[in-house]
């Protein structure tokens, strides 16, 4: 039955991908101060959306100014017009999903369904996560990471007025429909620990995280208490003890305070802000770029290497079978992606985007040499496209790992670094170039050197949302004996509200650092998961 369903989904994607569209259909690109937005839509609709998301950023920066000494890379947002486009962006995605955010692929980006009534809510929520990682001391406790994003997700953003802190209908339903004694204990919420009875789902946890954030944001006095608590947690204090010290309330009392607050008239805000009119520059993509936009995005999100399926300690037979089925489904989608990308790249072989799509498809199928040969004709001394140069370097680095002749392997790495140096000159804000430079050095004599550390620090600074960059830097710090620094850089990964493999790896690294420092080792616990939270899968 599941196999038939997968085949049906794949057939639907093929129809959506290759069905003839209007002859005039051509994608537009809107660039603002903080975003690059793509969509197969009208210029008016694209401009309106770009102005709205830029005003939302203005709201956040008005309350949480980010002081940096470097230019912040812009977030890519792709506008999907309904279910058909959502399947092009992510095959097999749930019909109720209004969008998703992907910080751990080769392109940090978001996709939003502009036809979904939850589209703005999802985008504001996900951008809340993206924005928080840029804030000083981003190692916030898990409940506040989720609560902060959900608190601002209900914002009503208009050209002349912004309101925030409004009701979250879905979260309020949990409080209305479930008896108080079924809520998660507040101590568990603060520590992100599922109760022994297992009586509540993660969806309830998220609702309580939103409710607690809303409670603290309701008055200046409570907001001050929240600030004291967050500062204490960042210093390493226990979450429950820090909360009680900041508020003078036990977890049980705080639970009751939140319940009474939510039962009344919750506070929302209409700040008196001089809302600027964002500058939006709109350009038109070429026909090839328009036709390959979704494939191009999916190729960037697809991992080059797929981890083998392994059983997990304590996993039930049912859970293992469900996870194994999901792995098979992803493998089928991956095979279809490679096949479609190779065919589309060949059809558009006279365009740069066609070459890039085909080369990356070869890379995914494990034929990096064939991918490099696709790019080789354009790799002249005058080539200055940073994406082409970086991809050529990545393909060479792949080849160096499988090369049996040490001299040839060294030659591949040296040639790769040459291309990366040129790519860096063309675009010094692309964290992926620094990641590739790290790949050229990892495992080599003297790694990690001071220069290796500096390269990773720049990459992590440009992409603080990337768990991959944080973990690479954390491991390099550990190798140099910089255990406290390692804990600091990966703590936001460990606090990921959605748990998953990245959080487990970060918690394991933190435990190793604590052992090296002679500290009490925190238990490596996983966060609860909930199939009702689609962003959990999308954010992995």
């Amino acid at each position: 039955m599941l196999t038939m369903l997968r085949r049906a989904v794949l057939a639907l994607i093929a129809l959506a991908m290759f069905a003839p569209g209007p002859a005039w259909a051509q994608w537009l690109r809107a660039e603002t101060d903080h975003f690059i937005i793509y969509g197969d839509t009208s210029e008016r609709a694209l401009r309106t959306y770009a102005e709205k998301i830029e005003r939302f950023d203005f709201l956040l920066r008005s309350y949480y100014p980010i002081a940096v000494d470097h230019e912040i890379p812009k977030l890519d947002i792709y506008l999907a017009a309904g279910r058909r486009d959502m399947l092009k962006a992510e095959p097999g995605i749930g019909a109720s999903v209004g969008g998703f955010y992907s910080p751990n692929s080769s392109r940090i980006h978001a996709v939003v369904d502009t036809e979904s009534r939850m589209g703005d809510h999802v985008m504001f929520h996900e951008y809340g996560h993206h924005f928080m990682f840029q804030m000083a001391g981003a190692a916030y406790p898990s409940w506040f990471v989720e609560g902060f994003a959900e608190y601002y997700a209900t914002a009503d953003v208009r050209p002349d007025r912004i309101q925030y802190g409004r009701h979250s209908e879905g979260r309020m339903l949990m409080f209305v429909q479930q008896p108080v004694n079924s809520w998660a204990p507040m101590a568990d919420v603060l520590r992100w620990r599922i109760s022994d009875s297992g009586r509540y789902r993660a969806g309830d946890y998220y609702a309580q995280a939103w409710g607690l954030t809303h409670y603290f944001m309701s008055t200046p006095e409570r907001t001050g208490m929240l600030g004291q608590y967050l500062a204490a947690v960042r210093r390493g204090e226990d979450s429950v003890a820090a909360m009680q010290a900041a508020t003078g309330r036990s977890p049980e009392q705080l639970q009751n305070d939140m319940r009474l607050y939510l039962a009344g008239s919750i506070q929302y805000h209409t700040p008196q802000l001089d809302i600027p009119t964002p500058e939006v520059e709109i350009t038109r993509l070429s026909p090839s770029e328009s036709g390959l936009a979704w494939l191009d995005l999916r190729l960037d999100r697809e991992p080059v290497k797929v981890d083998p399926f392994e059983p997990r300690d304590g996993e039930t037979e049912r859970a293992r079978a469900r996870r194994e089925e999901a792995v098979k489904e992803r493998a089928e989608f991956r095979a279809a992606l490679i096949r479609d990308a190779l065919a589309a790249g060949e059809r558009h072989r006279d365009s740069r985007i066609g070459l890039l799509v085909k080369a990356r498809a070869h890379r995914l199928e494990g034929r990096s040499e064939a991918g490099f040969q696709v790019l080789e004709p354009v790799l002249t001394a005058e080539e200055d496209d940073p994406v082409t140069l970086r991809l050529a370097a990545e393909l060479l680095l792949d080849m160096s790992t499988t090369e049996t002749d040490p001299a040839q392997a060294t030659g591949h790495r040296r040639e790769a670094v040459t291309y990366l140096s040129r790519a860096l000159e063309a675009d010094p804000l692309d964290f992926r170039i620094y990641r590739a430079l790290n790949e050229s050095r990892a495992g080599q004599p003297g790694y990690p050197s001071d220069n290796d550390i500096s390269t990773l620090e720049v990459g992590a600074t440009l992409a603080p949302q990337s768990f991959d960059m944080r973990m690479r830097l954390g491991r390099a710090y550990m190798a140099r004996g910089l255990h406290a620094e390692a804990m600091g850089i990966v703590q936001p990964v460990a606090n990921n509200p959605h748990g998953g493999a990245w959080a487990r790896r970060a918690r394991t690294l933190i435990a190793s650092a604590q052992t090296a420092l002679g500290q009490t080792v925190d238990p490596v616990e996983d966060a609860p998961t909930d199939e009702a939270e689609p962003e959990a899968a999308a954010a992995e």
Side-chain angles (χ1 to χ4, degrees), residues 131-198:
F131 183 88
M132 178 178 269
F133 273 102
Q134 302 171 63
M135 295 163 61
Y140 295 106
S142 299
W143 73 265
F144 185 65
V145 172
E146 192 64 34
F148 176 92
E150 195 67 4
Y151 178 75
Y152 285 102
T154 61
D156 181 17
V157 179
R158 304 182 185 183
D160 59 345
R161 189 204 71 187
I162 298 177
Q163 288 183 342
Y164 67 93
R166 298 159 63 93
H167 269 82
S168 176
E169 182 180 348
R171 301 312 183 192
M172 283 298 294
L173 281 175
M174 192 286 295
F175 294 114
V176 172
Q177 293 178 350
Q178 295 193 34
V180 175
N181 60 10
S182 72
W183 295 7
M186 182 57 69
D188 287 357
V189 173
L190 296 175
R191 288 183 174 139
W192 190 279
R193 185 181 67 242
I194 197 163
S195 63
D196 293 336
S197 65

Side-chain angles (χ1 to χ4, degrees), residues 30-37 50-51 53-62 64-66 68 70-77 108 123 127 130-131 134 276 278-281 465:
E31 183 167 2
T32 67
D33 285 346
H34 302 99
F35 304 94
I36 298 177
I37 307 165
E51 290 177 348
I53 193 67
E54 190 65 50
R55 287 188 179 102
F56 181 69
D57 174 87
F58 168 75
L59 168 67
L60 295 182
R61 290 181 196 278
S62 296
Y64 311 98
I66 299 175
V68 295
H70 63 88
E71 186 177 347
I72 298 176
K74 300 178 182 184
L75 175 64
D76 287 347
I77 300 176
I108 298 176
M123 190 62 244
Y127 188 62
H130 182 85
F131 183 88
Q134 302 171 63
E279 294 186 7
V280 182
E281 180 182 353
Q465 302 86 1

Side-chain angles (χ1 to χ4, degrees), residues 62 155 209 268 337 347 428 441 444 464 478:
S62 296
Y268 67 87
L337 171 63
R347 287 197 306 274
R441 281 284 301 145
Q444 299 303 304
M478 289 289 287

Side-chain angles (χ1 to χ4, degrees), residues 264-275:
S265 178
I266 68 173
Q267 300 294 316
Y268 67 87
H269 306 275
T270 308
Q272 300 303 305
L273 297 172
D274 185 11
I275 305 171

Side-chain angles (χ1 to χ4, degrees), residues 234-365:
R234 288 198 297 271
R235 291 194 300 268
E237 296 183 23
D238 175 76
S239 183
V240 172
M243 182 63 78
Q244 191 155 352
T247 64
R249 307 290 283 172
S250 69
E252 296 75 19
Q253 290 172 322
L254 187 60
Q255 182 90 299
N256 190 56
D257 293 341
M258 181 185 71
R259 180 183 64 81
L260 292 174
Y261 168 73
L262 293 173
S265 178
I266 68 173
Q267 300 294 316
Y268 67 87
H269 306 275
T270 308
Q272 300 303 305
L273 297 172
D274 185 11
I275 305 171
T277 299
E279 294 186 7
V280 182
E281 180 182 353
I282 294 182
T283 54
R284 192 172 295 275
L285 272 61
S286 70
S288 291
E289 290 170 330
S290 300
L292 297 177
W294 289 122
L295 273 176
D296 180 52
L297 183 66
R298 285 184 55 207
L299 286 166
D300 262 351
R301 195 164 59 249
E302 188 69 22
V304 176
K305 297 178 182 178
V306 179
D307 294 333
F309 181 86
E310 294 180 355
R312 295 174 180 170
D313 293 340
E315 187 176 35
T316 66
E317 185 67 23
R318 181 180 178 183
R320 185 199 62 76
R322 186 168 61 242
R323 194 163 56 86
E324 196 168 25
E325 188 67 27
V327 169
K328 290 179 181 178
E329 182 180 64
R330 291 304 309 172
E332 291 188 16
F333 287 142
R334 180 186 178 92
L337 171 63
I338 293 171
R339 182 176 62 250
D340 294 344
L342 288 173
E346 182 61 26
R347 287 197 306 274
H348 295 271
R349 60 183 177 275
D350 294 331
S351 68
R352 179 181 297 276
I353 186 66
L355 296 179
L356 292 173
V357 163
K358 188 173 182 179
R360 280 184 292 162
H362 280 313
R363 190 182 187 205
L364 290 184
E365 66 176 352

Side-chain angles (χ1 to χ4, degrees), residues 336-526:
L337 171 63
I338 293 171
R339 182 176 62 250
D340 294 344
L342 288 173
E346 182 61 26
R347 287 197 306 274
H348 295 271
R349 60 183 177 275
D350 294 331
S351 68
R352 179 181 297 276
I353 186 66
L355 296 179
L356 292 173
V357 163
K358 188 173 182 179
R360 280 184 292 162
H362 280 313
R363 190 182 187 205
L364 290 184
E365 66 176 352
R367 300 180 62 226
S368 293
E369 185 172 359
F372 185 78
Q373 289 171 355
V374 169
L375 295 182
E376 207 163 12
V378 300
L379 295 174
T380 64
E382 293 74 32
E383 178 59 55
D384 61 356
D385 177 59
V387 176
T388 303
L389 293 168
R390 173 179 54 81
L391 178 57
E394 290 170 337
L395 292 164
L396 284 165
L397 291 173
D398 292 344
M399 293 159 59
S400 74
T401 62
T402 58
E403 178 58 62
T404 56
D405 183 346
Q408 285 275 40
T410 299
H412 288 326
R413 281 194 299 274
R414 287 175 177 169
E415 187 177 2
V417 171
T418 299
Y419 285 131
L420 290 172
S421 297
R422 291 164 58 184
L424 196 62
E425 184 176 353
D427 185 4
L429 296 182
D430 188 345
F431 80 96
R432 298 169 295 184
I433 300 173
Y434 299 89
R435 182 184 64 190
L437 284 168
N438 173 251
E439 287 287 342
S440 74
R441 281 284 301 145
Q444 299 303 304
Y447 180 86
S449 66
D450 289 347
N451 190 60
D452 296 325
I453 294 287
S454 296
T455 298
L456 286 169
E457 286 176 337
V458 173
T461 297
L462 291 172
Q465 302 86 1
S466 170
F467 292 173
D468 181 24
M469 289 304 300
R470 285 181 177 270
M471 289 300 296
R472 286 171 184 263
L473 179 54
R475 288 191 289 265
Y477 279 150
M478 289 289 287
R480 293 289 296 271
L482 301 172
H483 305 299
E485 290 82 354
M487 287 194 293
I489 198 66
V490 306
Q491 190 67 59
V493 184
N495 290 355
N496 176 25
H498 303 300
W502 286 110
R504 286 193 295 273
R505 294 170 195 151
R507 290 168 187 160
T508 300
L509 187 148
I510 288 172
S512 297
Q514 289 173 326
T515 298
L517 293 171
Q519 300 177 357
T520 302
V521 177
D522 295 331
V524 181
E525 299 175 348
D526 206 1

